[in-house]
Amino acid sequence: MPIAVDIDVMLARRKMSVGELADRVGITPANLAVLKNGRAKAVRFATLAALCEVLECQPGDLLRWEAEVEVEAAAGE
């Protein structure tokens, strides 16, 4: 998937646990883990907005595009 998710980076910067973030956003820790680990196929804008509000960041701080070549090279390492 060429979209990389950097929720873990923001969690570390904010010194916040996955459980705390899930509680404050209003989603289950399991669903947050799916999103955080890049296994989600979609994310609702309402969820993205809630994540940004709680983490005090912009959507671009949580999501970034990677070229397919970079993704395949990283997987082969």
Side-chain angles (χ1 to χ4, degrees):
M1 171 71 69
I3 301 297
V5 181
D6 291 328
I7 291 174
D8 53 345
V9 173
M10 291 307 297
L11 282 170
R13 287 182 183 166
R14 302 297 186 250
K15 295 178 174 57
M16 189 181 298
S17 70
V18 172
E20 180 183 354
L21 180 60
D23 284 344
R24 292 177 62 184
V25 170
I27 61 176
T28 66
N31 283 339
L32 182 56
V34 167
L35 180 59
K36 183 175 84 68
N37 295 325
R39 295 188 318 259
K41 297 295 181 195
V43 60
R44 294 178 188 264
F45 281 152
T47 303
L48 183 59
L51 288 166
C52 289
E53 182 178 353
V54 170
L55 293 170
E56 299 178 352
C57 66
Q58 294 295 312
D61 296 326
L62 301 177
L63 304 172
R64 63 186 157 80
W65 177 82
E66 291 182 342
E68 288 287 341
V69 175
E70 292 175 16
V71 172
E72 290 172 5
E77 292 179 345

